[in-house]
Amino acid sequence: MSTAAETVAVSAGRAQRTVTVAVAGNPNCGKSTLINGIAGTRLQVGNWPGVTVEKKEAQFSHGGRNIRLVDLPGTYSLSPYTQEEVVARDYLVHERPDVIINVVDATNLERNLYLTIQLLELEIPVVIALNIHDEAERKGYRIDRAALEELLGVKVVPTVATRGEGLSALMEAALAAVGTGRPREVSYGEDIETAARAVLARLQEQHPDLAARYPARWLAFKLMEGDSRVLEETGIAADETLWGDALDHLHQAHDEDLESLMADARYGAAAGLAREVVHKPQVRRQELSEKIDRIALHRFLGIPLFFAAMWLVFKLAFDISTPFVDWIDGVTAGPLSRWTEALLGTLGAPDWVVSLVTEGIIGGVGFVLVFVPVIFAMMFFITFLEASGYMARAAFVMDRAMHTMGLHGKSFIPLLIGFGCNVPAIYATRTLENPRDRVLTSLLIPLMSCGARLPVYVLFAAVFFAESAGTVLWSLYVLGIVLAVVMGIVFKRTLFRGEAPLFIMELPPYRLPTLKSLMIHTWEKGKHFLIKAGTYILAVSVVVWFLLNLPWGVQDRQESLLGRAGQTLAPLFEPLGFGRWEAGSALITGLIAKEIVIGTMGEIYVGAMDEPEDPPPSIGEDLREIGSSFLDAVQAAGANVVSTFGIASMSAEEEESPSGLKQAVAQAFTPLSAYAFMAFVLLYAPCVITAIAMRQELSTWKWVGVAFGYQFALAWTVAFVIYQGGRLLGFA
């Protein structure tokens, strides 16, 4: 009886213990899709301690076991050359998860097995997810899974992450592998193995504590390679006598450094494994990816095609989202403001509280939230291009243009991230090995039009360029790219002389991303805008309201603290077409975040308008109007998509009652001054958070000062040329 009870207790304890599963794999192997398929909404996103590399974790139950899933950064190896590799390796070596799921691309097994072989050195149970298995089968590849399992001593599970196939079996295999001991060793040849045994013997004899702290075989290989990070951690960097003569034969027999020798041995093992288990058809047809790349990567057509693709993204994003923007605008500017004012009046709130809530909070934050549909639509289509494999081609195509700026194609990735938000783009420069490249790329990133500027563009484009709003948005993004190239050339010939290093980039095959994957990644990118709106944009909107009402009781907002500051700057902007105190005030607050430009304008213009004389409609009438206008927005969005692709024509509809902010902007600007203003907002300065990120990454305020100085001068010059040049051409 006692034996049975003990067995039950042990089983219960095992079931309750959380199993840590680390997921590792190359970039573009489908690892993110697989993680999302397993974890779904339970996935928590943050950063690894002390670095800006993204960290994803999930806690859930499977088969009665508590599981902690840790997504490691995508890496090609475990050598400490990039921050991602350092993070992945340190976690595996020091945290020692219970099991590793190694996601490999079944269509490119040889390259992926290079990382697999290094994972086996860590003496942690490994399960291989043979991902993108359906694509390999379509190509006619036949992978002998039984042979691969026999050669490596690990379980191999075929998966198709985009369809969720094999994920449950993969988790079952991972749980079954827990506690099964270390995987089979892959031999690197007699010379290397003999030297490794000698080094390991001396380690166990002279430094038994190190042999206990690290995976023994892995540690021996790292000491043989002269791995700088391991040598520093172990404190035996200068102790050549520990293994010096054990490596004499290797040095004599192989006239090369041991790090290269080990890399060659691993590549050789990976190639040998792939030849043993992968059988490809003798006659290979030209794949669809290669056919598309003949155009996408064409020397002359590649860049125009990229700009055409981006134009289509902006056109679709604007056309789909505009009806919903108008709907949200109508709700926040109408019913929500009226209901809030009525509620506060019922509660007996003083007039200044009513004004603060309706004008400061709803007027400030509300006018920013109006543009959420545009931002999410933009993130959706850009995510589609990334997941399809096209963005990697864009970086490749732009490599030649980047060389004219003294950079290489790898710098295009942080610049591309800048279209979403400049802050993570600045952090992404850590992947650039050369400090010169990091500084130059960081100075150019704020010229990339981030999502925070979109509310400004959408408002002005809707008011002045309704028939061609998508093209206007596209032109501003192109303007930022062109000016980044120009300033890159200027910096290359002045502050950053020197040749750009060579660039090698993997081009993944084209894939059709799933809707679920697109929605998850779009939400991850877009939710930061909502978080900003609910935190510091809300705080700044309240501060702006006070600045517009101080000295307390001021009647004319032009005489408020913010109004006086705007008046001081107004003459500076007069030659640019927007020398008004309202524009100057909005640009001041826009230094904190570009979205606040619209929030400030909303508080200035709408707050100064007279109250309507007609009594407001009832709540019932409001609700019916909200529902009806939402259905109209859905229909209009569908019609706009059809119109974009030229399937049918749609007549332009005039707005029956433009919102107060749009009406005020239409009176304060002309189309020419509006475009000059949008160009100025695009260029005039990095936001405060971007500036702080630059200071963190570049370890000095000097380059932050350079960024503010050159960007303001550039913004003023470009806006001046647009406005004055347009006047000379008769566009005023």
Side-chain angles (χ1 to χ4, degrees):
M1 180 67 69
S2 60
T3 303
E6 289 172 3
T7 302
V8 171
V10 170
S11 300
R14 184 181 300 161
Q16 292 302 316
R17 189 178 74 84
T18 298
V19 176
T20 301
V21 180
V23 185
N26 289 183
N28 303 311
C29 69
K31 181 167 66 70
S32 295
T33 305
L34 184 140
I35 288 284
N36 288 327
I38 294 174
T41 57
R42 295 163 296 200
L43 202 62
Q44 301 295 318
V45 181
N47 281 344
W48 291 88
V51 295
T52 56
V53 176
E54 190 176 68
K55 181 181 185 181
K56 296 182 179 179
E57 284 194 24
Q59 299 262 3
F60 58 94
S61 296
H62 183 90
R65 305 288 294 274
N66 296 325
I67 296 174
R68 174 177 174 242
L69 197 70
V70 180
D71 181 18
L72 299 178
T75 62
Y76 293 106
S77 75
L78 295 181
S79 301
Y81 298 130
T82 68
Q83 212 175 43
E84 287 78 8
E85 290 171 343
V86 170
V87 165
R89 195 178 84 173
D90 283 355
Y91 179 82
L92 292 173
V93 171
H94 298 299
E95 299 298 326
R96 309 293 295 167
D98 295 300
V99 63
I100 301 172
I101 292 179
N102 176 209
V103 185
V104 303
D105 181 353
T107 66
N108 202 340
L109 195 59
E110 180 177 331
R111 185 204 66 204
N112 283 246
L113 286 175
Y114 182 73
L115 175 63
T116 304
I117 288 171
Q118 293 181 78
L119 294 174
L120 296 178
E121 295 172 5
L122 297 171
E123 302 174 3
I124 300 171
V126 173
V127 172
I128 293 178
L130 198 61
N131 201 30
I132 321 177
H133 192 258
D134 57 333
E135 202 168 297
E137 289 182 332
R138 280 198 300 270
K139 292 180 177 181
Y141 296 177
R142 186 166 56 84
I143 300 175
D144 190 339
R145 291 193 292 115
L148 186 58
E149 290 179 341
E150 176 64 26
L151 290 168
L152 296 180
V154 302
K155 183 68 175 175
V156 179
V157 181
T159 60
V160 182
T162 55
R163 299 202 297 259
E165 295 179 5
L167 301 187
S168 180
L170 178 65
M171 291 307 303
E172 293 292 340
L175 291 175
V178 174
T180 57
R182 63 188 189 183
R184 184 167 300 160
E185 295 177 357
V186 176
S187 175
Y188 299 137
E190 187 57 32
D191 287 350
I192 291 177
E193 295 296 337
T194 300
R197 285 193 292 270
V199 171
L200 187 55
R202 296 193 182 186
L203 270 174
Q204 292 172 337
E205 178 184 342
Q206 300 182 28
H207 294 277
D209 57 321
L210 293 179
R213 280 167 47 198
Y214 294 91
R217 181 175 167 83
W218 175 84
L219 179 59
F221 288 146
K222 290 301 157 186
L223 292 176
M224 289 166 60
E225 294 173 11
D227 188 297
S228 59
R229 193 173 180 88
V230 171
L231 292 173
E232 183 180 350
E233 286 183 11
T234 56
I236 54 175
D239 189 5
E240 294 292 335
T241 60
L242 177 62
W243 63 84
D245 59 336
L247 306 182
D248 286 345
H249 176 69
L250 278 183
H251 286 297
Q252 293 169 5
H254 306 275
D255 189 19
E256 58 181 322
D257 67 276
L258 297 189
E259 184 178 12
S260 298
L261 179 65
M262 289 297 304
D264 289 344
R266 293 188 181 104
Y267 275 120
L273 282 166
R275 281 195 299 270
E276 287 288 331
V277 302
V278 181
H279 305 282
K280 299 182 180 180
Q282 294 296 321
V283 179
R284 192 181 71 87
R285 296 176 300 172
Q286 189 177 38
E287 297 179 7
L288 179 61
S289 288
E290 295 174 347
K291 293 178 181 178
I292 298 175
D293 282 345
R294 291 179 63 183
I295 301 174
L297 302 180
H298 193 275
R299 182 175 182 180
F300 300 111
L301 298 178
I303 292 180
L305 182 63
F306 168 67
F307 285 120
M310 296 308 294
W311 173 85
L312 183 61
V313 164
F314 297 126
K315 175 70 173 168
L316 279 172
F318 192 90
D319 286 355
I320 291 173
S321 60
T322 295
F324 297 105
V325 168
D326 294 338
W327 177 73
I328 296 175
D329 188 16
V331 171
T332 55
L336 183 60
S337 295
R338 291 195 297 267
W339 298 347
T340 304
E341 186 173 355
L343 175 63
L344 292 174
T346 303
L347 297 175
D351 291 343
W352 71 269
V353 173
V354 175
S355 175
L356 171 62
V357 175
T358 57
E359 297 173 17
I361 296 177
I362 296 178
V365 179
F367 282 119
V368 175
L369 288 177
V370 161
F371 304 101
V372 166
V374 188
I375 291 171
F376 274 86
M378 280 283 297
M379 294 304 106
F380 178 86
F381 289 115
I382 289 177
T383 299
F384 178 86
L385 291 181
E386 291 174 346
S388 68
Y390 178 71
M391 279 307 193
R393 269 79 179 173
F396 184 86
V397 166
M398 295 298 292
D399 185 51
R400 184 175 287 106
M402 301 296 286
H403 272 271
T404 65
M405 304 156 56
L407 293 169
H408 51 71
K410 197 172 183 180
S411 292
F412 185 68
I413 303 302
L415 293 173
L416 204 59
I417 295 173
F419 285 131
C421 179
N422 290 169
V423 176
I426 294 292
Y427 290 139
T429 60
R430 290 187 178 185
T431 62
L432 305 177
E433 292 80 10
N434 191 329
R436 165 191 171 279
D437 293 347
R438 288 199 292 271
V439 174
L440 178 52
T441 306
S442 296
L443 289 176
L444 300 179
I445 282 172
L447 300 181
M448 300 296 103
S449 189
C450 65
R453 292 147 164 123
L454 265 178
V456 182
Y457 304 158
V458 173
L459 172 66
F460 281 82
V463 172
F464 296 103
F465 311 102
E467 295 297 323
S468 55
T471 302
V472 169
L473 260 68
W474 172 80
S475 70
L476 290 163
Y477 280 75
V478 172
L479 177 64
I481 294 172
V482 171
L483 290 175
V485 172
V486 171
M487 291 309 303
I489 294 172
V490 171
F491 284 137
K492 176 187 176 183
R493 296 180 178 177
T494 54
L495 300 178
F496 302 95
R497 298 179 183 274
E499 293 297 321
L502 295 176
F503 170 59
I504 299 175
M505 184 174 187
E506 176 198 2
L507 297 180
Y510 290 100
R511 297 190 179 103
L512 185 64
T514 63
L515 181 61
K516 178 181 178 182
S517 174
L518 287 175
M519 298 306 292
I520 290 174
H521 286 95
T522 299
W523 169 249
E524 288 178 353
K525 293 177 181 177
K527 71 179 180 181
H528 299 295
F529 182 82
L530 297 176
I531 293 171
K532 287 168 67 178
T535 53
Y536 68 84
I537 291 179
L538 170 62
V540 172
S541 296
V542 172
V543 171
V544 167
W545 183 88
F546 278 103
L547 292 177
L548 286 170
N549 287 276
L550 292 175
W552 195 252
V554 63
Q555 297 298 313
D556 186 355
R557 290 191 164 183
Q558 187 173 349
E559 298 304 319
S560 66
L561 295 180
L562 186 59
R564 291 173 185 172
Q567 289 182 67
T568 303
L569 292 179
L572 183 64
F573 302 131
E574 189 68 39
L576 313 184
F578 45 89
R580 302 169 61 94
W581 73 270
E582 297 94 337
S585 300
L587 291 171
I588 292 173
T589 58
L591 290 172
I592 300 172
K594 297 301 188 294
E595 307 99 318
I596 298 174
V597 170
I598 293 301
T600 302
M601 283 188 166
E603 294 190 56
I604 291 174
Y605 286 124
V606 179
M609 291 182 176
D610 293 330
E611 294 295 327
E613 296 180 1
D614 297 332
S618 66
I619 292 181
E621 292 173 338
D622 276 337
L623 291 174
R624 283 193 294 272
E625 181 185 346
I626 289 172
S628 176
S629 60
F630 180 77
L631 292 176
D632 291 342
V634 174
Q635 293 174 352
N640 285 353
V641 174
V642 173
S643 177
T644 297
F645 287 104
I647 300 173
S649 60
M650 182 185 68
S651 60
E653 297 180 0
E654 296 293 330
E655 281 194 63
E656 294 180 1
S657 56
S659 70
L661 180 56
K662 289 182 179 179
Q663 200 171 21
V665 167
Q667 295 172 357
F669 291 83
T670 66
L672 185 59
S673 65
Y675 194 85
F677 183 78
M678 288 189 289
F680 192 87
V681 171
L682 163 68
L683 303 170
Y684 79 106
C687 69
V688 170
I689 298 179
T690 300
I692 293 172
M694 291 179 68
R695 167 63 181 82
Q696 290 175 340
E697 291 304 299
L698 305 180
S699 302
T700 176
W701 286 107
K702 179 182 74 172
W703 295 116
V704 177
V706 169
F708 271 90
Y710 99 80
Q711 281 191 239
F712 188 86
L714 180 65
W716 196 95
T717 302
V718 170
F720 179 85
V721 170
I722 290 172
Y723 184 69
Q724 298 299 340
R727 292 183 64 190
L728 290 175
L729 294 174
F731 292 128

